[in-house]
Amino acid sequence: MKVNNDDEIAVDSRLVRFRKGGSLYFEGDEVRRSYQIVEGIVRTCRFHADGHRQVTGFHYPGDTVGLGQRNHFESAEAVTDLECRALAIQPDGKARSASAEDPSLADFLLQGALRNAHQSIFLFGRRTACERLAAFILMTARRLGCGLEVELPMGRTDIADYLGLTIHTVSRTFGMLCQDRLIALHGSQHCRILDLPGMRSLAGEVD
Amino acid sequence: MKVNNDDEIAVDSRLVRFRKGGSLYFEGDEVRRSYQIVEGIVRTCRFHADGHRQVTGFHYPGDTVGLGQRNHFESAEAVTDLECRALAIQPDGKARSASAEDPSLADFLLQGALRNAHQSIFLFGRRTACERLAAFILMTARRLGCGLEVELPMGRTDIADYLGLTIHTVSRTFGMLCQDRLIALHGSQHCRILDLPGMRSLAGEVD
DNA sequence: CGATTCGTTGACGAAGTTCAAGCTGCGTGG
DNA sequence: CCACGCAGCTTGAACTTCGTCAACGAATCG
């Protein structure tokens, strides 16, 4: 099966690889296959008329991206070098895979996408840069299941476009969180959470 | 069937009414039934720990709200006096109704919810108050199918909480759009679009 | 070792929030 | 019919935050 995508590197009939920065598919493309992430990180995003990019989500090993009814409503790109399992899409829009005897798979994945979207809306509802970034760090830590040592796999630009901020503000805000002893940075990617209650309260997770 | 909701006024076994401001269901409630709107407007929203409210969407006659897997992830409230058809939810999470023999109904509605959510995310992605409000007015006009005369059914507070702004900024921005002859207001609810191309370009719908 | 990309930092200005006051429309009761 | 109170909307002024512009440091790669 010819796949209209230069970035895709076939390993065997099911496994494919993408280089960091490569595109899995583009917004508007016809839905042909979906990808279950085995290793690496994917970002999904939409581009606006003015060139502005909105990152709509980050996806981690185990997640599946690219499922939809007819055409993709967002693009998907490899944040890191990537390995994933390609799942063919049947005419009825459901993914066919080892686990696809479950007829409600599409439903389940749609629910996931919706939860994802609501998480974004939730983030935007938190108004200040501090609150958004704190929420983002906690969210990522939780998703990676790495306790208090978070290895942020994406760059500042990705974070900025996800949170609706500029890289400058993101960078400055990291600085402020460090100054306030809420986190500590070792390099720009490795973040240690020092004050979990403080972060949770900042992120609006207080109860 | 006893329904745990004082606001709900049963008309017959299927039709229910809510007063303006009444709640259809709350965030966290178990999903028991969904509501197809017959007459009136519904807002769905989430409340944050600090009391801040995020309106996640407005829903119009014909729309169905309250469909979900286990628990509601958002509240639903009547923006205006409301009449809707109550649909029971089966254990598998699908709505049972006249048209529910179609097994992909839930799918369809989920897709709608997702599109809705992405629209919100689009609105929030680094855009000025003018751009957000212009996009909102056009969106509402399109949804109401009322041409250039838009009767905005919701108050300033609802708009503000939907767009992630304060009522002050919303009010000021309405003023600016009027000054620039893009719209005209007659009372705070009735809005006439004077310059459709100008509005579309402001809203980022340019092509 | 230069070139390029990415992240940090400072100065400044624009946009939006906050605070405060006043206006408008509406229902209630005298 | 008007006085009153209330809720929602508007508007002005001061302040805060974040984006923009610009420069610089750090890491990566040929």
Side-chain angles (χ1 to χ4, degrees):
Chain A
M1 185 225 253
K2 171 77 179 74
V3 173
N4 175 27
N5 187 340
D6 296 339
D7 291 339
E8 185 169 316
I9 304 158
V11 175
D12 63 31
S13 64
R14 302 180 125 213
L15 228 51
V16 292
R17 292 216 171 90
F18 295 87
R19 287 259 147 69
K20 175 177 174 171
S23 290
L24 283 69
Y25 51 83
F26 295 91
E27 184 177 343
D29 279 2
E30 187 194 349
V31 171
R32 294 162 163 270
R33 56 205 317 196
S34 58
Y35 298 91
Q36 184 179 22
I37 302 171
V38 175
E39 180 75 39
I41 313 288
V42 170
R43 66 171 171 255
T44 43
C45 40
R46 307 187 65 177
F47 294 89
H48 297 201
D50 58 8
H52 160 66
R53 184 183 75 161
Q54 176 63 54
V55 172
T56 55
F58 294 102
H59 309 271
Y60 300 86
D63 295 351
T64 299
V65 299
L67 209 83
Q69 214 70 290
R70 317 179 123 280
N71 294 78
H72 292 296
F73 50 77
E74 53 191 10
S75 307
E77 300 166 358
V79 172
T80 62
D81 286 345
L82 188 66
E83 182 176 310
C84 41
R85 196 162 287 126
L87 312 177
I89 302 281
Q90 296 179 330
D92 66 355
K94 308 235 191 275
R96 179 176 53 208
S97 78
S99 67
E101 280 86 48
D102 178 7
S104 64
L105 174 65
D107 245 55
F108 174 75
L109 293 172
L110 260 176
Q111 294 259 353
L114 191 59
R115 197 166 28 239
N116 227 310
H118 273 271
Q119 202 154 36
S120 293
I121 293 174
F122 179 84
L123 270 179
F124 283 131
R126 319 250 84 241
R127 285 202 291 284
T128 71
C130 271
E131 292 168 340
R132 292 186 194 191
L133 189 57
F136 172 75
I137 292 170
L138 290 178
M139 205 170 81
T140 306
R142 209 168 288 133
R143 188 59 189 76
L144 288 172
C146 52
L148 297 180
E149 299 285 338
V150 196
E151 193 68 32
L152 298 166
M154 68 296 283
R156 293 290 186 262
T157 306
D158 286 335
I159 299 176
D161 288 352
Y162 181 59
L163 298 179
L165 303 168
T166 62
I167 55 169
H168 310 274
T169 302
V170 170
S171 187
R172 260 186 269 274
T173 307
F174 265 114
M176 294 174 66
L177 293 180
C178 284
Q179 254 189 315
D180 297 349
R181 303 282 165 202
L182 289 163
I183 62 169
L185 285 179
H186 300 91
S188 60
Q189 311 275 98
H190 189 102
C191 170
R192 155 173 264 178
I193 299 171
L194 298 178
D195 180 357
L196 186 57
M199 288 288 280
R200 288 176 51 85
S201 123
L202 235 187
E205 295 180 8
V206 136
D207 22 356
Chain B
M1 182 224 254
K2 172 77 177 73
V3 173
N4 175 25
N5 187 340
D6 296 338
D7 292 339
E8 186 169 317
I9 305 158
V11 175
D12 64 32
S13 63
R14 304 181 124 212
L15 229 50
V16 292
R17 291 216 171 90
F18 296 88
R19 286 261 147 69
K20 175 177 176 171
S23 290
L24 283 71
Y25 51 85
F26 294 91
E27 184 177 344
D29 279 1
E30 187 194 352
V31 171
R32 294 163 163 269
R33 56 204 317 195
S34 58
Y35 299 91
Q36 184 180 23
I37 302 172
V38 174
E39 181 74 39
I41 313 287
V42 170
R43 65 173 171 254
T44 43
C45 40
R46 306 186 64 177
F47 294 88
H48 296 206
D50 58 6
H52 161 65
R53 184 184 74 160
Q54 175 64 54
V55 172
T56 55
F58 295 103
H59 309 271
Y60 301 88
D63 295 351
T64 299
V65 299
L67 208 82
Q69 213 70 291
R70 315 180 125 279
N71 294 78
H72 292 296
F73 51 83
E74 52 190 12
S75 307
E77 299 167 359
V79 172
T80 63
D81 285 347
L82 187 68
E83 182 176 311
C84 40
R85 194 162 290 127
L87 312 177
I89 301 279
Q90 295 176 330
D92 65 356
K94 308 232 191 278
R96 179 175 53 208
S97 77
S99 67
E101 280 87 47
D102 178 7
S104 65
L105 174 64
D107 247 54
F108 174 75
L109 291 172
L110 266 174
Q111 294 260 352
L114 190 60
R115 199 166 26 241
N116 226 309
H118 274 271
Q119 200 156 37
S120 295
I121 294 174
F122 177 85
L123 274 179
F124 281 131
R126 194 169 35 223
R127 304 179 76 83
T128 68
C130 273
E131 293 168 339
R132 293 185 196 193
L133 189 57
F136 172 75
I137 292 170
L138 290 178
M139 207 169 80
T140 306
R142 209 168 289 130
R143 189 62 188 75
L144 288 172
C146 54
L148 298 180
E149 298 286 338
V150 196
E151 193 68 32
L152 298 167
M154 68 294 285
R156 293 289 186 262
T157 305
D158 286 335
I159 299 176
D161 287 350
Y162 180 58
L163 298 179
L165 302 167
T166 62
I167 56 169
H168 311 273
T169 302
V170 170
S171 186
R172 262 184 264 274
T173 307
F174 266 112
M176 294 174 64
L177 293 180
C178 285
Q179 254 189 315
D180 297 349
R181 303 281 164 201
L182 289 164
I183 62 170
L185 285 180
H186 299 91
S188 61
Q189 309 273 99
H190 188 102
C191 169
R192 156 173 261 179
I193 299 172
L194 298 178
D195 180 356
L196 185 57
M199 287 289 280
R200 288 176 51 85
S201 121
L202 233 188
E205 295 181 9
V206 137
D207 20 354

